[in-house]
Amino acid sequence: MQLMTNQTSAGLRFAVEDEIARVEIDLPGEKVNKLTTAWMTEFEALLDRLATADGVRAVVLASGKPDTYIAGADLDEIEGLASAEDAREKARFGQRVFAKIENLGKPVVAAIHGACLGGGGELVLACHSRIASDDPATRIGWPEVKLGIIPGFGGTQRLPRIVGLQAALDLILTGRMLDARRARDLRLFDSLVYRSLLVDEAMREARRLADSGRFGVARASRRPLWTVPGFLDRTPIGREIVLTAARRRVQRETRGQYPAALTAIQSLAAGVRSGGKAYAREAELLSRMALTPESRNLVQLYRLTEINKRVGRDLPAPAAVRRIAVVGAGVMGGGIAQLAASQDLGVRLKDIQPEPLLLALRTARDLMHKAARRRRLGPVEVDNKLAHITTTLDYSGFSLADLVIEAVVERMDVKQRVLRDLESAVREDCILATNTSALSVTEMAAALGDPGRLAGMHFFNPVHRMPLVEVIVSSHTRPATVATVVALARKLGKTPIVVRDAPGFLVNRILAPFMNEASFLFEEGQDVEHLDDAMRRFGMPMGPFELIDEVGADVACEAGRTLHAGLGERMRPAALAARLVEAKRLGRKTGAGVYRYTGKRRQPDRARWQTLRDRGAASALPASVLQERVFGLMINEAARCLDEGIVATAADLDLALVFGIGFPPFRGGLLRYADAQGISTVVRGLERLEREVGPRFAPCSRLRRMADAGETFHGGR
Amino acid sequence: MNAGSEVVVVAGCRTPFVRSGGAFRHLSAVHLGQVAAAETLQRSGCDPHWVDEVVFGNIGQPAEATNIARVIALRVGIPADRPAYTVQRNCASGMQAITSAAEKILTGQARIVLAGGTESMSQIPVQYPLAFNEWMGEWMRARSTPQRLRALARFRLRLLTPSSALAVGLTDGYAGINMGQTAEVLAREFGITRDEQDAFAFDSHRRAVAARERLRGEIVPVPAQDLASWITDDQGPRDDIALERLGRMKPYFDRRSGTVTIGNSCPVTDGAAAVLLMRRDTANELGLEPLGTLRAWAYAGLEPSRMGLGPAYATPRALHKAGRRWRDIQLVELNEAFAAQVLANLHAFERGVSAPGVQPLDPIGPVDRGTLNVNGGAIALGHPVGASGARLVLTLLQEMARRDLERGLATLCIGGGQGAALVFERN
């Protein structure tokens, strides 16, 4: 056995054992491996050496990092791309390097443990065999579309050849990550082994391939031609059908607002039509996407989520939370209980009636079963996790809770009573959190002997899907309390944003003009569907009237009243919500609100619409005008929130709105959008609307200051 | 022994008891045990992380939960580094769990032990004969076609003849008679009439119905399988129990001349019960109020065919260990496997046993019906075999607290010919 060890400066080690070269990818000083230009250059040089080395018959590529294989290309380098030409050159470079793997003339086996994403995924696609560890940390995926670009290192060419066109479309368009087992089922991984045996097994496979002399990358889909999926994957006609359907679906779902998805389809199409050789086209298409504002915005948003991980660093260490209690069962309580149980926290769920407890248990069970079906959790795991939830009609068991979340009815007197009762039922070090969406946490805390232990922990509905949690800090709340609530939100897989206690907190306050201004426009004669459509075209997931129906006109009405009382004249509610409540048209939950509902379907109700306003229909204003009125107000309110210290940074605010109300990610965030318009433009627009429509549009002082000083919310870019 | 090292029970609770084939039939013994165990910990204010060991009684021993105590322990959040084991002493398995836990505590091997019993008699399986096992083995070993054909040729339909493991389990493996037949043996030995048995059964139901409200204190409601309703009470006790109806039932275990019927026997039932035991000084440290102290216990053996008299043989031993007399005992829970069996015990307690050919017994003392099974017994509530021992202890302690009594006894007859008796004290 000849042993030759070598290390390059950019992060490559290799040793030759028994004529098999074992290469370890290990970027110095980095937590994860990423494909920097420097590294790729050294990798290319290494491949050249290995290709001609006499004593090497095969190569194994492994990672030296604990739980990552290769996390992807370097985000800094992507952001630093100066021109389309620059992007194309980088893509061609990457393609060339990976082509050298494919054409090495010797078998190359990837030994994959941990996250293998984006460019890393493209690297292993170029290998002749992929062995992975059977471990939950092992995942493979191509999330480029989520950053507004497409795989540019040959991924769109090689992936359909290995897994078939349909699977390739699904993976690249959704950007989702596959766990090891699913990847193996798709034949993306050739086999799974125990983590500790991974490299040895890869070496053995490399030797086998070298001995047999038969190794190639091209692999037709194995599905039989006479099945529908096989026909669609393997015949030219089938593939065109699939591509057309994909194109149509993407258009419909994204309204052309995510060009990367359509471009990815183009690249995949070029690939299958050319037998996987359209590399130049792939590079060309990538170059078109790399500098689009959409891509820049999506990368920005990704950066914001990374920044958010540091929230709480300036706070004291959080207390350990192993067991929580939830007061108030039903759908919200059940959702929170299920979330906590799924993260293996003990949950004591209390209500004053036995029926809501059953509803909560059913909610939790159904959600667990759904999660099980998706992630292949065995029935035993579901039972184990559901066992974490116990129910009670009194406060027994509350002494075991490290934190209690109260989710009872939205009435101050009731919440205060519950909080007082809790204070005598829990330990001294137990944190109290309220899920209130509108009431003052400061006022609630006044009922407690120790007000510092209370914070707001505002989940959004439905709990299991909405990623945001507003952590609401009253004037009494201790930093340690905030730290613990923030840590718990993260443990539950949510994104916490720390928000000061004020009417509407952050998200509902900025959301209010979305629904309210649309209501005013309706009262001025604009059409309901035209308004909803205009907002959806902007990129919102739901139009304002659809949203009113979802949350309930009564809830919207109450929230409007609170905001008006708390924030003043500019928040005066339009009459629509009150009129809906009067007419008992509360929304989806009563079968009719603004729209009519039969089952799940939503239908217009033109006859009724006219009765909900005084003046008749007016000529339709263009969508841009409608959007300016609505989003202009939202920007104005957001600026006020920053000024009043409701939230610490523009980054937090943008992230909160993307996660809390679905503000379109491709715009990068509300304030990013404002920056893109130009603050002066925004201010001038608001001034014009103030003159033409009403004083509620008066630009706030912060916006004026920023316009005068030429500042932006996010500084730079 | 100083007071600090005494074994105390600080909390306990049980699921409702439901007849097999009823609302609990889809809930496994693990699930029932886990519900009782989890709620016991919650009500006690004892963090699962403080529990040193878990012991549970169970006779069904489901294959998918070997060492059911361990599965229950992990489900209720007791850390994986705490040991757990399952015990089997037939009908006294729930009591065996408690006395084993006490032994751990008294020998200093543990400070806090969660004990209990669970049984899903609904889910006790139906079995194939052993010959089918052998045929399956041969079939799976067959590799070539001639081997497979040979195996097929040996297949007989009778290899699939099912037998109820429950019925087999309720038959004494040594004496070859089933539990009901042992009741008939005692009925004859002590001359207990059909009417007396039916009257006792009637009384058991009446007491249980009257106690329904009180018993809610020890019960944790369990959601039905579909999570659409709660089971909050024992489902066995009948509001409409009538002596006439009891009288009309036919003897079940001896069709020709027997007196024991389904009506005056305990029904096959599903349920679980759990209690938390610890050293007294640990309870003081944790600020937990004991429900009672386990003063002493004893197991005794007798002829398998007379197993129903177990309590009569075990009680004197336990009393002796506790340094107490029978008249000191203020409240008694004696498991009602069969009315005939309970009544036989009452006779034996009062007059002793001195017939030729049977194990002798000195008289213990008269049993006051007013302090025996005051909230009804297994004839009304049911007897989930692994759980009953723990239920008797729980019910006894709760009632002692309600009446502010100082000394109580819980005792059981054990299939196979044993008896168990536990002496508890308060204050």
Side-chain angles (χ1 to χ4, degrees):
Chain A
M1 194 200 303
Q2 206 183 3
L3 246 140
M4 219 171 42
T5 49
N6 222 319
Q7 178 147 5
T8 67
S9 54
L12 280 166
R13 275 192 296 274
F14 78 92
V16 180
E17 290 166 28
D18 239 353
E19 302 185 304
I20 315 286
R22 185 167 100 195
V23 177
E24 223 171 65
I25 305 166
D26 193 351
L27 265 66
E30 298 274 357
K31 225 171 56 135
V32 299
N33 286 327
K34 38 192 187 186
L35 302 176
T36 59
T37 305
W39 184 86
M40 291 283 272
T41 311
E42 304 224 5
F43 186 51
E44 184 178 26
L46 178 61
L47 287 172
D48 289 335
R49 273 177 72 185
L50 292 171
T52 54
D54 279 327
V56 172
R57 292 202 304 139
V59 180
V60 166
L61 298 175
S63 160
K65 301 291 183 200
D67 270 326
T68 348
Y69 186 73
I70 296 173
D74 187 358
L75 208 57
D76 289 328
E77 285 193 11
I78 293 179
E79 277 188 299
L81 290 171
S83 65
E85 191 52 42
D86 197 6
R88 194 195 358 249
E89 279 311 304
K90 286 245 159 60
R92 293 297 269 151
F93 170 56
Q95 289 171 351
R96 187 178 76 234
V97 175
F98 290 173
K100 289 195 175 174
I101 300 177
E102 187 177 338
N103 302 320
L104 199 70
K106 305 173 181 178
V108 181
V109 177
I112 304 163
H113 169 75
C116 178
L117 305 173
E122 291 178 282
L123 188 153
V124 305
L125 286 179
C127 297
H128 305 105
S129 177
R130 287 160 288 283
I131 317 270
S133 67
D134 188 3
D135 191 289
T138 297
R139 309 189 155 263
I140 186 166
W142 291 268
E144 284 88 343
V145 166
K146 293 201 215 168
L147 293 176
I149 52 179
I150 66 170
F153 287 170
T156 62
Q157 306 304 301
R158 293 198 175 93
L159 188 58
R161 273 157 48 202
I162 295 175
V163 303
L165 177 61
Q166 291 166 91
L169 272 167
D170 175 53
L171 285 171
I172 291 183
L173 290 178
T174 61
R176 68 194 176 97
M177 294 193 288
L178 286 179
D179 59 73
R181 298 220 176 140
R182 291 251 169 92
R184 193 248 333 252
D185 290 345
L186 274 180
R187 318 279 187 138
L188 204 40
F189 293 154
D190 295 303
S191 62
L192 299 183
V193 296
Y194 287 127
R195 180 184 175 175
S196 50
L197 301 175
L198 177 61
V199 177
D200 289 334
E201 190 54 41
M203 303 279 283
R204 222 169 295 141
E205 177 68 8
R207 190 163 295 120
R208 234 183 30 78
L209 289 173
D211 289 340
S212 82
R214 283 204 309 271
F215 53 93
V217 174
R219 209 169 314 191
S221 169
R222 291 193 179 88
R223 290 150 139 179
L225 256 178
W226 62 81
T227 61
V228 171
F231 175 80
L232 291 174
D233 258 356
R234 293 172 63 182
T235 62
I237 301 176
R239 292 198 280 259
E240 291 307 317
I241 294 175
V242 169
L243 289 166
T244 310
R247 216 171 286 124
R248 246 185 243 138
R249 192 174 55 244
V250 166
Q251 264 295 13
R252 194 180 58 237
E253 284 175 8
T254 68
R255 299 163 163 261
Q257 288 159 342
Y258 291 92
L262 289 169
T263 309
I265 297 177
Q266 279 182 280
S267 190
L268 285 161
V272 296
R273 286 179 197 140
S274 66
K277 299 279 191 312
Y279 293 101
R281 182 91 172 114
E282 183 190 78
E284 161 72 33
L285 290 169
L286 168 64
S287 73
R288 288 199 209 155
M289 291 295 102
L291 278 81
T292 56
E294 288 87 352
S295 176
R296 293 280 140 126
N297 287 339
L298 288 168
V299 171
Q300 157 84 339
L301 204 54
Y302 176 77
R303 291 274 194 223
L304 292 183
T305 59
E306 292 293 299
I307 291 171
N308 179 265
K309 294 196 180 137
R310 291 188 235 131
V311 163
R313 250 192 221 175
D314 53 337
L315 293 168
V321 174
R322 267 188 298 117
R323 241 173 282 286
I324 69 167
V326 178
V327 182
V331 175
M332 263 317 231
I336 296 172
Q338 185 272 339
L339 189 60
S342 70
Q343 298 301 323
D344 293 318
L345 295 170
V347 185
R348 184 73 165 163
L349 184 57
K350 176 196 184 292
D351 200 279
I352 47 176
Q353 296 285 358
E355 273 312 311
L357 290 173
L358 284 176
L359 173 57
L361 289 175
R362 283 198 298 273
T363 307
R365 177 201 56 190
D366 293 341
L367 288 169
M368 287 282 192
H369 282 163
K370 237 190 276 187
R373 274 198 297 274
R374 272 198 333 259
R375 279 160 42 221
R376 299 222 224 145
L377 265 184
V380 182
E381 279 187 270
V382 170
D383 287 339
N384 289 349
K385 289 192 190 278
L386 286 173
H388 294 314
I389 306 174
T390 60
T391 59
T392 177
L393 295 173
D394 58 26
Y395 286 105
S396 64
F398 273 60
S399 62
L400 299 178
D402 301 312
L403 185 147
V404 179
I405 299 176
E406 86 54 35
V408 304
V409 68
E410 279 285 288
R411 278 179 43 188
M412 182 56 77
D413 55 341
V414 177
K415 285 198 188 286
Q416 281 182 323
R417 184 168 42 77
V418 167
L419 286 170
R420 267 195 297 268
D421 290 342
L422 279 172
E423 229 179 1
S424 23
V426 301
R427 293 193 318 261
E428 225 181 288
D429 60 337
C430 175
I431 304 275
L432 301 181
T434 168
N435 183 43
T436 185
S437 57
L439 297 173
S440 162
V441 178
T442 309
E443 200 182 324
M444 264 182 247
L448 292 171
D450 175 16
R453 76 200 298 180
L454 178 70
M457 189 173 191
H458 182 209
F459 291 87
F460 289 77
N461 203 3
V463 172
H464 69 284
R465 257 209 325 259
M466 302 304 277
L468 182 70
V469 166
E470 283 180 315
V471 177
I472 299 157
V473 179
S474 81
S475 49
H476 309 288
T477 311
R478 279 194 290 275
T481 302
V482 182
T484 305
V485 175
V486 165
L488 177 62
R490 287 230 178 79
K491 180 139 205 282
L492 296 177
K494 301 299 183 194
T495 302
I497 303 279
V498 177
V499 167
R500 203 163 61 72
D501 183 24
F505 308 133
L506 178 68
V507 170
N508 284 343
R509 174 167 166 180
I510 300 180
L511 184 61
F514 181 68
M515 294 184 284
N516 209 29
E517 193 58 25
S519 301
F520 278 124
L521 282 161
F522 165 74
E523 283 167 13
E524 291 171 22
Q526 294 301 306
D527 176 58
V528 166
E529 287 184 301
H530 180 51
L531 278 162
D532 270 351
D533 189 59
M535 299 308 144
R536 266 186 276 113
R537 272 202 273 153
F538 182 85
M540 295 299 285
M542 255 195 247
F545 299 108
E546 293 165 353
L547 190 56
I548 291 177
D549 279 354
E550 286 300 317
V551 307
D554 48 342
V555 173
C557 206
E558 188 56 38
R561 233 200 305 269
T562 311
L563 288 171
H564 184 202
L567 296 173
E569 194 51 31
R570 68 176 189 275
M571 286 292 197
R572 171 180 290 280
L576 177 64
R579 286 199 184 177
L580 286 168
V581 171
E582 233 179 270
K584 304 235 201 302
R585 292 174 67 101
L586 301 183
R588 194 184 268 283
K589 61 191 178 199
T590 57
V594 177
Y595 291 92
R596 252 185 317 129
Y597 294 89
T598 40
K600 291 223 156 163
R601 277 185 49 220
R602 178 188 290 129
Q603 283 163 312
D605 203 353
R606 302 199 170 279
R608 286 309 226 110
W609 287 346
Q610 211 27 64
T611 70
L612 289 168
R613 63 181 168 198
D614 295 326
R615 59 157 295 175
S619 57
L621 292 168
S624 55
V625 170
L626 303 174
Q627 290 164 0
E628 187 186 17
R629 277 181 60 168
V630 169
F631 292 100
L633 274 184
M634 289 168 74
I635 293 171
N636 209 13
E637 202 57 41
R640 285 200 175 87
C641 286
L642 274 180
D643 227 15
E644 295 168 25
I646 300 296
V647 67
T649 62
D652 278 348
L653 195 146
D654 272 359
L655 199 59
L657 290 180
V658 170
F659 283 167
I661 64 173
F663 187 87
F666 76 89
R667 294 194 188 270
L670 179 67
L671 297 179
R672 178 109 166 153
Y673 168 68
D675 283 348
Q677 305 283 90
I679 307 298
S680 312
T681 313
V682 172
V683 170
R684 276 201 308 276
L686 286 170
E687 286 173 334
R688 180 176 30 85
L689 288 166
E690 185 185 1
R691 285 193 304 274
E692 293 174 5
V693 182
R696 64 179 177 274
F697 286 92
C700 69
S701 50
R702 184 181 182 112
L703 278 180
R704 285 195 203 278
R705 263 198 331 268
M706 288 174 71
D708 289 339
E711 280 172 20
T712 55
F713 283 107
H714 286 285
R717 300 202 204 275
Chain B
M1 185 198 313
N2 71 62
S5 55
E6 286 175 339
V7 177
V8 297
V9 175
V10 299
C13 85
R14 66 179 180 89
T15 69
F17 280 12
V18 177
R19 272 185 209 216
S20 296
F24 278 2
R25 67 187 181 282
H26 296 303
L27 301 178
S28 68
V30 173
H31 184 87
L32 295 170
Q34 153 211 320
V35 171
E39 191 64 18
T40 298
L41 289 172
Q42 292 284 331
R43 290 187 189 182
S44 71
C46 174
D47 192 310
H49 280 236
W50 303 339
V51 174
D52 294 320
E53 190 148 0
V54 177
V55 193
F56 255 70
N58 173 259
I59 63 137
Q61 309 278 341
E64 69 276 5
T66 352
N67 192 358
I68 202 169
R70 174 63 167 173
V71 181
I72 291 172
L74 292 172
R75 282 262 177 99
V76 303
I78 291 169
D81 65 348
R82 311 295 152 85
Y85 67 105
T86 307
V87 293
Q88 215 274 44
R89 198 197 284 252
N90 308 79
C91 315
S93 299
M95 249 182 218
Q96 179 64 55
I98 291 171
T99 59
S100 294
E103 279 169 0
K104 290 272 175 191
I105 294 170
L106 289 169
T107 55
Q109 292 175 56
R111 291 189 327 149
I112 301 176
V113 184
L114 180 67
T118 176
E119 205 69 62
S120 170
M121 301 180 85
S122 298
Q123 296 192 356
I124 293 182
V126 156
Q127 301 180 148
Y128 289 120
L130 191 55
F132 185 58
N133 259 36
E134 291 161 10
W135 184 87
M136 277 289 287
E138 188 192 330
W139 173 251
M140 287 170 60
R141 278 191 300 273
R143 294 261 174 267
S144 63
T145 315
Q147 283 174 337
R148 288 207 190 96
L149 288 174
R150 245 201 310 278
L152 273 177
R154 292 220 185 94
F155 183 80
R156 297 279 176 276
L157 219 47
R158 66 163 179 272
L159 287 172
L160 297 179
T161 316
S163 71
S164 155
L166 181 59
V168 172
L170 289 174
T171 303
D172 188 305
Y174 184 81
I177 63 173
N178 67 40
M179 297 298 112
Q181 287 164 335
T182 71
E184 290 285 5
V185 165
L186 292 180
R188 259 173 237 129
E189 184 178 327
F190 290 87
I192 299 168
T193 67
R194 169 68 185 266
D195 285 340
E196 285 174 320
Q197 293 174 48
D198 286 346
F200 186 86
F202 178 79
D203 207 31
S204 183
H205 277 265
R206 293 300 291 270
R207 291 181 183 204
V209 169
R212 196 170 271 145
E213 197 60 49
R214 283 199 293 282
L215 289 176
R216 289 216 182 110
E218 69 196 44
I219 289 178
V220 50
V222 176
Q225 166 76 359
D226 59 0
L227 300 183
S229 59
W230 289 101
I231 319 285
T232 51
D233 295 314
D234 300 311
Q235 310 246 294
R238 302 185 66 129
D239 291 54
D240 60 348
I241 191 71
L243 270 175
E244 301 78 53
R245 207 172 29 226
L246 284 169
R248 277 201 295 274
M249 299 180 80
K250 295 209 187 346
Y252 190 75
F253 303 100
D254 178 350
R255 303 286 159 123
R256 264 179 323 153
S257 54
T259 53
V260 178
T261 70
I262 296 293
N264 56 39
S265 310
C266 68
V268 174
T269 302
D270 305 329
V275 293
L276 188 64
L277 298 117
M278 56 182 70
R279 285 173 59 104
R280 183 190 291 285
D281 51 23
T282 304
N284 292 341
E285 253 173 66
L286 295 175
L288 300 176
E289 186 69 37
L291 285 172
T293 308
L294 176 57
R295 172 66 57 216
W297 71 85
Y299 295 95
L302 66 156
E303 299 88 343
S305 59
R306 299 166 72 237
M307 72 91 196
L309 276 184
Y313 288 88
T315 298
R317 289 198 195 183
L319 287 172
H320 179 73
K321 289 228 191 94
R324 294 277 173 220
R325 310 206 110 88
W326 175 243
R327 58 171 179 271
D328 298 329
I329 302 296
Q330 296 160 305
L331 194 67
V332 180
E333 282 288 331
L334 192 154
N335 202 35
E336 298 170 6
F338 303 91
Q341 162 255 332
V342 182
L343 294 168
N345 272 289
L346 301 194
H347 282 284
F349 266 66
E350 183 149 6
R351 294 189 235 108
V353 175
S354 60
V358 297
Q359 201 165 306
L361 178 74
D362 290 332
I364 305 165
V367 181
D368 177 2
R369 289 295 302 279
T371 56
L372 170 70
N373 298 354
V374 299
N375 294 323
I379 289 177
L381 301 173
H383 175 31
V385 176
S388 286
R391 175 187 79 77
L392 294 182
V393 168
L394 181 62
T395 285
L396 177 76
L397 290 173
Q398 299 278 32
E399 190 62 27
M400 281 169 69
R402 273 190 287 268
R403 297 184 180 202
D404 197 20
L405 300 173
E406 286 180 8
R407 266 162 256 110
L409 177 90
T411 174
L412 280 170
C413 58
I414 305 176
Q418 298 187 71
L422 274 58
V423 179
F424 283 91
E425 293 189 355
R426 277 178 77 247
N427 304 341

